[in-house]
Amino acid sequence: MWDYHFEVNRKNAEACQLDADAVLIHDPQPSPLVEFRKKGKWIWRCHIDLSNPVKGVWNYLGRYCEKYDAAIFSVGKFAQAMAIDQFIIPPAIDPISEKNRELRGDEINETVVKFHIPTDRPILLQVSRFDRFKDR
């Protein structure tokens, strides 16, 4: 399983431009990308709770995470003892980001028509993934 995980990251590294001045990798899944580092500062962003990780999983992923120049965690108690600089940056919404702007009426109507969304009933919206790890 771990061999496959690494191979997927190797293929992703080939498809990405990793020779930037700074690279920010988000979440544990792509953490092995650091093995394909070409230059620059590499920062690993983790928003999940690592305070009590499954040992085998952390032993595997942690060896990659330790190779970053720094790690960012959402909450202090989520952090894992590591030999690299760590920072706590709580999640936030950027109100001026393009994705957080008010939608125009014609954009809403176009989406409703495109996806055949009925407008005579309430809409239930799940923003994050809809699985057992999120809001179930």
Side-chain angles (χ1 to χ4, degrees), residues 24-92:
L24 178 68
I25 301 297
H26 191 275
D27 281 342
Q29 297 88 336
S31 62
L33 287 173
V34 73
E35 292 291 346
F36 308 97
R37 172 186 208 155
K38 295 179 179 157
K39 69 174 191 171
K41 295 290 184 182
W42 280 58
I43 302 166
W44 179 58
R45 171 78 161 105
C46 183
H47 70 271
I48 61 172
D49 186 350
L50 291 182
S51 62
N52 188 25
V54 173
K55 281 290 182 207
V57 174
W58 178 246
N59 288 342
Y60 173 78
L61 293 175
R63 66 182 172 168
Y64 298 117
C65 299
E66 293 272 351
K67 293 181 180 183
Y68 285 80
D69 296 299
I72 298 172
F73 290 90
S74 299
V75 179
K77 69 179 185 173
F78 284 7
Q80 180 64 232
M82 296 167 58
I84 61 174
D85 290 334
Q86 294 183 42
F87 302 91
I88 307 304
I89 302 177

Side-chain angles (χ1 to χ4, degrees), residues 91-104:
I93 294 173
D94 179 359
I96 61 172
S97 169
E98 176 67 15
K99 70 179 183 177
N100 293 322
R101 69 176 172 76
E102 186 83 26
L103 294 175
R104 297 186 321 265

